[in-house]
């Protein structure tokens, strides 16, 4: 459905070129640094698992031990595997336990042959983890062939968030039976700022359920059962964001999650995580997602919850272009880019729905092969649930009319309660009505001058902003509040102490294999 | 004034109600829904909609008449002692009257690692669709996070020239939240003279909002407080009430 807006291909090409120019320094920064979480992800893929008696994962204990002895800048792979070779402790989890007890010291070997031997072992260990990820991806392809994709686009995306994985499972299965194609398990409030990934099945969380490997495994197994029952592959989503983004990306690959929330700037802007930490973690996590065949969902919708959706429309476009650049650079294909945007224009504004259509269609035509993630109204949802249901209906219609790929189902009780069973049922009824009644209306929909003009205007403003970002650098733009009105300087924010510049002999076997 | 609900005629007492019962939809389920409506005072009650949801749940919509009278003279409400302002209004008052940004320092003190409360109030993300204090352009917010020691908090407040210090205490055992708060207010009293001491505000689900004097703080916020209430209070306490006196 390309071509309805008559976008000038030269302006589109210019926007992409500017995004690449703005993004490149950040990629260079990401390639020359590492973080504690990247190194922990490497160890997870190399087979370190479990946690100590206090619930601190062995990967954390091991990275801390290596860091104390030789720093982070060489990467942990060589010191750890060198220690494994010299002590004869082959099992890296056992090595972590011994190191935590103070029985192992780490060093960067001096002899070339020792370095080569440690690297060889590290590569072999990391390849073991990647092999599991490859197997999981093949398994997904097989299941999709067997059970099939959803019959319609957009895919219907629903959230569960009880805090208790054993309560989430029946709710997720019920949501799938009621029509959901994608289930997202919201994380507990505050997990993004934990510098470790909790272990095991969890039953208590604040407004969400902790992302843990065991919770991933349990939910995926339950949805496999439901996919079989429904004859439709139900996708599972979680969040590769916050301080442990690379590790969670690795766990998602190991447990066959299908989509991950993974935005290049969300953590910086909305969680005050250090910009360098975020960009380094981002790049690694996207490389893992690329390998695992996971669709990422970016978070542009969030800008519109803080800034005005009309005034700031072009910042969404700019962020989408940057997210696309960073994603391609990390190896993700277009079909894996669930670029985000949202229906957040004040409904009291004259022509608000036409403006929404212009913005949604602009995203569609700029990224014709990406499965765009279409987010429902939140900012202008009040306690008036009747009006909210109407607004959600128009949101669904805009989604159908502009060919969105993934539709997050809006709840009329947004801003009132976490969704009740009946709220979800009414919301799905709303989606079904719109898709049944008007799902193919895009065939008859030809935008006029108003929508075409507005789309062209937003694209023009996006190009202007990109030009400014190229001049000032992206880091400066983030520091002075360009996105979502948040000011985040590069030397501030959480997690900066977990960042290290790569030494000349830095070695990361996973980075090498990806 | 004595009133009753209004459907389409004065005094008809009509109300609408929707709810879910955890039973499959059948005749008996509809009867159960009407029984509930009756017990809630709807007489007669009309079941206008019943829909099965998944396995073993039914959603109902009921319309009906209630006989209850409401006396508006006898309504009791706890009045907020300051006006609730929008973010725009808060920013405007600070800009106009203070002519500089208002400095806020926040932290969880003691061993409490739960930043849920302080983050809900301070982080841009906010809570329940309402943005946190970082969203306010005229507020300069420093969020120190969790497990901050009282001396560090005092030091940061001094360094940032804090107008207000916000402390959150979520998880507490054996009244730790009260001990921590007393220690905090005592440290500020010791470190800074009365005129230069920041406004001290504590919040958390276990506090009694009436204990300000006993704890040595200016204000206590309980469960369900929103960022906007805190921002409005800051403007009221630091700008509006000072200029009046």
């Amino acid at each position: 459905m390309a071509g309805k807006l008559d976008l000038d291909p030269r302006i589109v090409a210019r926007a992409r070129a500017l995004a690449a120019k703005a993004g490149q320094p950040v990629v260079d920064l990401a390639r020359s640094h590492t973080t504690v979480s990247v190194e922990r992800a490497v160890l997870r893929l190399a087979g370190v698992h479990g946690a100590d008696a206090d619930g601190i994962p062995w990967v954390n204990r091991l990275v801390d031990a290596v860091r104390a002895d030789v720093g982070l800048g060489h990467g942990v792979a060589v010191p750890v595997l060198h220690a494994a070779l010299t002590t004869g402790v082959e099992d890296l989890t056992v090595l972590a336990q011994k190191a935590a007890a103070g029985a192992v010291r780490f060093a960067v070997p001096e002899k070339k042959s020792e370095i080569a031997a440690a690297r060889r072992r590290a590569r072999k260990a990391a390849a073991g983890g990647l092999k599991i990820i490859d197997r999981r991806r093949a398994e997904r392809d097989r299941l999709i062939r067997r059970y099939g994709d959803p019959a319609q686009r957009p895919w219907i995306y629903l959230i569960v968030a009880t805090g208790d994985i054993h309560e989430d499972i029946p709710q997720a299965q019920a949501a799938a039976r009621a029509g959901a194609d994608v289930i997202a398990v919201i994380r507990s409030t505050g997990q993004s700022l934990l510098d470790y990934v909790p272990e095991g099945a969890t039953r208590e969380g604040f407004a969400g359920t902790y992302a843990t490997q065991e919770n991933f495994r349990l939910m995926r197994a339950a949805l496999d059962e439901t996919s079989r029952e429904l004859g439709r592959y139900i996708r599972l989503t979680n969040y590769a964001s916050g301080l442990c983004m690379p590790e969670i990306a690795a766990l998602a690959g190991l447990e066959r999650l299908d989509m991950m929330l993974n935005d290049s700037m969300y953590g910086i802007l909305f969680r005050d995580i250090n910009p360098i930490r975020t960009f380094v973690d981002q790049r690694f996590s996207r490389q893992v997602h690329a390998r695992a065949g996971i669709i990422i969902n970016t978070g542009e919708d969030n800008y519109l919850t803080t800034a005005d959706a009309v005034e700031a429309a072009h910042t969404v476009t700019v962020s989408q272009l940057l997210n696309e650049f960073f994603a391609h650079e990390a190896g993700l294909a277009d079909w894996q880019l669930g670029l985000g945007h949202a229906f957040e224009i004040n409904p009291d504004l004259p022509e608000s729905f036409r403006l929404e259509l212009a913005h949604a269609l602009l995203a569609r035509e700029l990224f014709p092969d990406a499965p765009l993630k279409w987010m429902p109204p939140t900012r202008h949802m009040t306690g008036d649930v009747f009006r909210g249901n109407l607004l959600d209906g128009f949101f669904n219609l805009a989604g159908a009319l502009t060919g969105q790929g993934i539709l997050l189902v809006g709840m009329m009780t947004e801003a009132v309660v976490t969704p009740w069973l009946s709220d979800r049922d009414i919301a799905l009824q709303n989606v079904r009505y719109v898709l049944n009644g008007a799902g193919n209306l895009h065939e008859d929909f030809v935008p006029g001058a108003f929508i075409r003009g507005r789309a062209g205007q937003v694209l023009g403003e996006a190009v202007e902003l990109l030009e400014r970002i190229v001049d000032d650098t992206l880091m400066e733009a983030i520091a002075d509040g360009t996105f979502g009105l948040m000011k985040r300087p590069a030397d501030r924010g959480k997690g900066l102490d977990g960042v290290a510049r790569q030494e000349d002999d830095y070695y990361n076997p996973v980075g090498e294999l990806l | 004034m004595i009133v009753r609900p209004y459907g389409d005629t004065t005094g008809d007492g009509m109300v609408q109600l929707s709810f879910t019962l955890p039973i499959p939809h059948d005749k008996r389920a509809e009867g159960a829904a009407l029984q509930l409506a009756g017990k809630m005072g709807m007489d007669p009650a009309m079941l206008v909609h019943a829909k099965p949801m998944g396995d073993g749940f039914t959603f109902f919509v009921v319309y009906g008449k209630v006989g209850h009278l409401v006396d508006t003279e006898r309504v009791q409400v706890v009045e907020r002692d300051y006006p609730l302002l929008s973010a725009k209004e808060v920013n405007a008052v600070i800009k106009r009257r203070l002519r500089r940004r208002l400095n806020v320092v926040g932290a969880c003190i003691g061993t409490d690692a739960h930043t849920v409360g302080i983050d809900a109030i301070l982080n841009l993300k906010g809570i329940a669709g309402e943005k946190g204090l970082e969203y306010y352009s005229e507020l300069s917010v420093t969020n120190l996070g969790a497990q901050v020691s009282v001396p560090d908090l005092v030091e940061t407040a001094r360094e940032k020239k804090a107008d207000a210090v916000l402390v959150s205490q979520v998880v507490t055992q054996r009244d730790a939240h009260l001990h921590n708060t007393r220690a905090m207010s005592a440290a500020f009293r010791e470190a800074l003279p009365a005129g230069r001491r920041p406004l001290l505000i504590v919040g958390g689900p276990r506090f009694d909002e009436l204990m300000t004097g006993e704890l040595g703080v200016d204000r206590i916020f309980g469960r369900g407080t929103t960022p906007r209430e805190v921002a409005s209070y800051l403007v009221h306490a630091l700008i509006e009430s000072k200029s009046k006196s």
Side-chain angles (χ1 to χ4, degrees):
Chain A
M1 51 181 283
K4 286 187 179 182
L5 291 173
D6 295 328
L7 297 174
D8 183 340
R10 284 166 307 179
I11 299 181
V12 173
R14 168 134 184 87
R16 280 216 160 76
L18 284 167
K21 208 167 162 187
Q24 191 56 48
V26 169
V27 171
D28 296 340
L29 190 77
R31 295 177 73 118
S32 58
H33 289 76
T34 187
T35 73
V36 284
S37 185
V38 165
E39 300 300 325
R40 294 195 300 252
V42 170
L43 292 178
R44 284 184 186 276
L45 289 170
V48 180
H49 57 89
D52 70 10
D54 294 328
I56 304 300
W58 290 118
V59 289
N60 285 62
R61 300 295 302 263
L62 188 50
V63 166
D64 290 349
V66 173
R67 195 175 190 189
D69 287 349
V70 296
L72 208 59
H74 311 281
V76 298
V78 167
V80 166
L81 273 299
H82 178 64
L85 284 170
T86 50
T87 58
V89 181
E90 296 265 325
D91 184 325
L92 297 184
T93 306
V94 174
L95 186 77
Q97 290 160 358
K98 287 189 184 292
V104 181
R105 303 291 286 174
F106 295 95
V108 180
E110 286 180 6
K111 281 190 214 146
K112 273 207 173 125
S113 61
E114 285 179 334
I115 294 175
R119 287 190 174 193
R120 207 162 43 242
R121 284 299 184 99
R123 197 157 45 232
K124 198 172 156 214
L130 291 177
K131 201 167 153 193
I132 298 175
I133 288 181
D134 293 343
R135 265 211 305 274
R136 294 290 184 208
R137 180 176 180 160
E139 192 174 65
R140 179 193 302 116
D141 291 343
R142 202 164 57 241
L143 290 172
I144 291 173
R145 272 200 305 279
R146 188 179 307 159
Y147 302 132
D149 269 324
Q152 88 296 327
R153 277 278 184 172
W155 293 346
I156 299 169
Y157 177 116
L158 256 176
I159 286 168
V160 298
T162 69
D164 177 347
I165 188 64
H166 295 294
E167 200 67 49
D168 286 339
I169 286 174
Q171 288 215 11
Q173 291 180 314
R177 286 184 200 113
D181 302 311
V182 183
I183 299 293
V185 181
I186 295 271
R187 294 197 307 184
S188 175
T189 299
Q191 182 168 7
S192 56
L193 300 182
L194 291 181
D195 213 346
Y196 65 93
V197 180
E199 278 286 321
T202 65
R203 308 202 68 161
E204 71 286 318
F206 289 97
T209 306
Y210 284 103
T212 73
Q213 184 167 8
E214 180 63 5
N215 287 350
F216 285 1
R217 191 188 67 76
L218 288 168
M219 184 58 95
R220 188 57 269 175
L223 291 180
D224 281 348
E225 213 176 90
T226 309
S227 300
R228 190 158 51 240
E229 170 194 324
L230 297 174
R232 171 165 59 93
Y233 183 70
I234 307 298
R235 286 177 169 79
L236 175 60
T237 303
N238 211 287
Y239 294 70
S241 60
L243 291 172
C244 292
M245 171 192 307
E247 295 172 84
I248 291 180
L251 296 177
L254 292 170
E255 299 300 340
R256 187 168 36 86
L257 268 62
D258 306 283
M259 288 190 189
M260 295 301 276
L261 278 282
N262 193 228
D263 187 82
S264 62
M265 297 190 286
Y266 177 84
I268 304 171
L269 300 173
F270 294 92
R271 291 296 183 199
D272 196 12
I273 295 174
N274 174 261
I276 302 174
R277 170 79 179 250
T278 297
F279 283 123
V280 177
D281 286 351
Q282 256 294 300
R283 184 166 185 276
F284 184 89
S285 64
R286 287 189 176 196
Q287 288 179 303
V288 173
H289 288 144
R291 177 76 170 232
I294 286 172
I295 295 172
I296 64 163
N297 291 184
T298 60
E300 283 82 0
D301 49 288
N302 290 287
Y303 305 155
L304 301 183
T305 64
T306 54
D308 181 83
V310 176
E311 281 170 29
H314 64 292
T315 67
V316 168
T317 307
V318 167
S319 173
Q320 288 168 337
L321 286 160
L322 289 169
N323 261 313
E324 179 194 48
F325 168 74
F326 290 133
H328 283 165
E329 194 280 328
L332 287 158
D334 281 330
W335 66 268
Q336 291 176 293
L337 307 186
L339 297 172
H341 58 145
F343 189 94
E344 291 282 18
I345 298 175
N346 183 351
D348 294 332
L349 190 74
E351 312 294 355
S352 66
F353 186 66
R354 294 170 88 191
L355 291 167
E356 294 285 10
L357 288 178
H359 298 173
L361 208 52
L362 174 62
R364 178 69 289 164
E365 297 204 351
L366 275 179
F367 309 100
D369 301 315
L372 302 178
K373 167 106 173 279
W374 184 224
M375 301 287 285
T378 58
R379 193 177 182 187
H380 298 285
M381 294 296 270
T382 59
D384 183 349
V385 295
F386 303 103
R387 182 171 178 269
N389 199 29
L390 176 65
L391 213 54
D392 281 333
F394 271 62
F395 158 76
N396 294 332
L397 181 62
L401 213 48
T402 59
Q404 304 298 312
I406 304 157
L407 182 140
L408 194 148
V409 177
M411 297 288 151
M412 64 182 188
T413 47
E414 176 77 42
V416 181
V417 289
T418 52
W420 290 358
L421 186 73
S422 55
D423 298 336
R424 222 174 267 146
D425 191 70
I426 289 167
L428 281 170
Q429 172 177 282
N430 186 330
V431 172
R432 272 197 304 274
Y433 167 67
V434 172
L435 293 187
N436 274 334
N440 295 319
L441 189 60
H442 59 84
E443 293 173 11
D444 310 297
F445 170 56
V446 182
F450 179 87
I451 287 179
R452 286 206 309 271
R454 174 63 189 165
Q457 183 193 354
V458 173
L459 180 59
E461 288 171 7
V463 167
E464 279 170 36
L465 176 57
L466 279 165
E467 280 166 349
R468 271 215 314 281
I469 293 174
V470 168
D471 288 345
D472 293 358
T473 76
L474 182 55
M475 284 302 197
E476 282 300 312
I478 290 169
D480 67 20
T482 303
F483 300 98
L485 302 178
M486 290 313 306
K487 298 188 169 93
R488 302 299 191 201
D491 59 351
R492 294 284 300 280
K494 301 167 185 116
L496 176 60
D497 56 356
V499 180
R501 178 172 281 284
Q502 292 177 8
E503 304 286 343
D504 292 337
D505 65 349
Y506 177 76
Y507 183 69
N508 178 339
V510 178
E512 190 180 74
L513 290 163
L514 284 174
Chain B
M1 194 169 56
I2 308 286
V3 292
R4 52 171 38 138
Y6 184 106
D8 67 348
T9 312
T10 300
D12 63 13
M14 292 301 285
V15 297
Q16 62 192 20
L17 174 69
S18 66
F19 55 88
T20 300
L21 291 179
I23 46 178
H25 179 222
D26 55 16
K27 269 265 158 70
R28 182 175 294 274
E30 296 194 1
L34 285 171
Q35 189 187 84
L36 175 65
K39 285 184 174 172
M40 292 174 76
M42 292 167 75
D43 181 30
M46 278 186 297
L47 185 84
V48 300
H49 178 65
K51 180 177 177 287
M53 290 186 301
D55 298 333
F57 292 93
T58 310
F59 178 66
F60 300 97
V61 180
V62 180
Y63 278 63
K65 183 186 180 70
V66 295
H68 312 296
L69 299 174
V70 176
D71 184 350
T72 57
E73 305 301 319
R74 289 174 56 197
V75 173
Q76 285 190 352
V77 283
V78 180
E79 303 281 359
R80 211 182 321 99
D81 55 357
Y82 55 91
L84 193 59
L85 307 178
S86 70
K88 218 175 196 169
E89 290 166 327
V90 166
N91 288 332
V93 173
I94 299 173
K95 215 169 196 166
R96 197 174 65 242
R97 305 274 292 281
L98 199 61
R99 296 200 196 86
R100 63 167 172 84
R101 293 175 88 199
L102 194 147
N103 299 317
V104 178
V105 171
C108 286
I109 58 172
T111 55
D112 190 357
H114 293 76
T115 59
V116 180
I118 197 78
D119 285 346
I121 298 298
L122 295 183
N123 273 11
L124 175 64
K125 173 103 178 163
I127 185 147
E130 207 178 281
K131 300 299 163 202
L133 299 190
E134 288 188 337
Y135 174 66
Y136 293 68
S137 56
E138 296 301 318
L139 294 178
S140 168
V141 176
T142 307
N143 185 352
L144 297 176
Q147 302 187 340
V148 176
S149 74
V150 168
D152 283 351
L153 178 61
V154 173
E155 195 42 50
T156 309
R158 204 199 313 244
E159 179 192 321
K160 299 277 173 190
K161 297 198 171 60
D163 297 294
V165 170
L166 270 59
V167 163
S168 167
Q169 296 275 270
V170 175
V171 175
T172 160
Q173 288 172 328
R174 293 187 215 101
D175 288 340
H177 61 302
L178 302 180
H179 301 308
N180 290 342
T181 303
R182 283 195 197 98
M184 185 270 297
S185 62
F188 273 101
R189 270 198 305 280
E190 209 166 284
L192 293 162
R196 290 182 37 226
R197 206 175 301 144
L199 198 67
L200 300 180
I201 300 170
V202 293
R206 299 279 297 275
F207 284 109
D208 175 348
E209 298 192 354
L210 299 172
M211 285 179 75
T212 47
E214 199 179 323
L215 296 179
V217 297
D218 296 288
R219 187 83 184 193
I220 297 172
F221 285 107
R223 182 183 285 279
T225 301
T226 64
R228 198 172 143 207
E229 286 172 311
V230 176
S232 301
Y233 171 71
L234 289 176
V235 164
H236 170 78
L238 288 167
I239 302 175
E240 302 282 10
S241 56
K242 277 192 181 165
S243 57
K244 269 177 218 149
S245 58

